[in-house]
Amino acid sequence: MADETAQQTPQIGINLNIHQAHSARMYDYYLGGVTNFPADREAAGRALDAFPNARLAAHANRAFMRRATRAIAELGIDQFLDIGTGIPTSPNLHEVAQGVHAGARVVYADNDPIVLTHAEALLDGTAQGRTDYVQGDIRDARTILEAAAQTLDLERPIALSMVAVLHFIADRPGQNAADVVDAFISHLAPGSYLVISHFTADFDPEATARMEKVYRSSGTDLQARTREEVTALFQDWRLLTPGVVASPRWNPDADAAGTTDAQAGCYAGVARLG
Ligand SMILES: C[S@@+](CC[C@H](N)C(=O)[O-])C[C@H]1O[C@@H](n2cnc3c(N)ncnc32)[C@H](O)[C@@H]1O
């Protein structure tokens, strides 16, 4: 369990606000991690009451991230930008990417200070490759892209991962997930890939509605989207087979076996520009 007295990380003076539940730490709890505090565990407990498959959903989502990253690396991509990274959980994206290309470059970005305090685990890549971390909000594409350009060559194709993060962007006046995605992908080179997974109500509407309520009551926006809405986030990019499907159905391997669509609760897809 995290050191519950460590509200401040003295060397960098970050306030972790441990008395309020955070989505990254709740997710860490579903995954069986130890970087969470009582407020996170209390909210995560209510989330598990609302959506009892949350642990399975989180594991299925991580497994999708690994499969998609490996597949894209095997297609020749050696630069990755992962937004909404989460608390490090091995194997992290850079371990998968650098397992294919030892020289792969990976930039992580998250807006939760707890991820920053654990960033060293994200920066332990291969000697040949490079990993970097940006503290940034997905709604601020310019800041993230400018910082990422220190490590990645944005004139060349990259893989942009937005895995289990866009459902925290609720559509409301002045903000919507489609614009958030567009602000990034309009700057990417042809041959780039976009990876998305996203919470949906399509499989279990009642449990999903309960889950949205729990997150909102803990101060976090959560908006499930339909298959049509998730597909639209890819704009006219070319979806890789099998398209937008429940996360365990995206090119499954042994890790994905046995998880149903309703348990996974998320859509997933990968698309290519050009
Ligand atoms: C459910 S976790 C997903 C972690 C990882 N992508 C995965 O799929 O295993 C969502 C992550 O998105 C981050 N996040 C939520 N809203 C964000 C925002 N507006 N900007 C950047 N990151 C955000 C949270 O801090 C958390 O780390």
Side-chain angles (χ1 to χ4, degrees), residues 120-137:
E120 71 278 7
L122 298 168
L123 304 178
D124 69 344
T126 56
Q128 305 95 308
R130 196 164 147 196
T131 59
D132 228 323
Y133 179 79
V134 179
Q135 178 75 14
D137 195 292

Side-chain angles (χ1 to χ4, degrees), residues 168-244:
F168 296 118
I169 305 296
D171 294 334
R172 64 163 85 99
Q175 167 182 297
N176 69 71
D179 288 346
V180 165
V181 175
D182 186 63
F184 284 92
I185 67 177
S186 55
H187 295 283
L188 301 189
S192 293
Y193 288 84
L194 174 62
V195 180
I196 291 176
S197 69
H198 199 296
F199 191 46
T200 186
D202 286 3
F203 308 126
D204 190 344
E206 288 83 18
T208 307
R210 289 195 300 266
M211 189 74 154
E212 287 176 326
K213 220 164 146 189
V214 169
Y215 272 77
R216 287 181 192 144
S217 71
S218 320
T220 301
D221 267 343
L222 178 65
Q223 180 174 329
R225 291 188 172 88
T226 64
R227 181 169 182 277
E228 200 179 9
E229 289 168 329
V230 175
T231 303
L233 297 174
F234 290 98
Q235 299 185 5
D236 56 356
W237 288 36
R238 188 165 53 81
L239 281 162
L240 269 51
T241 305
V244 174

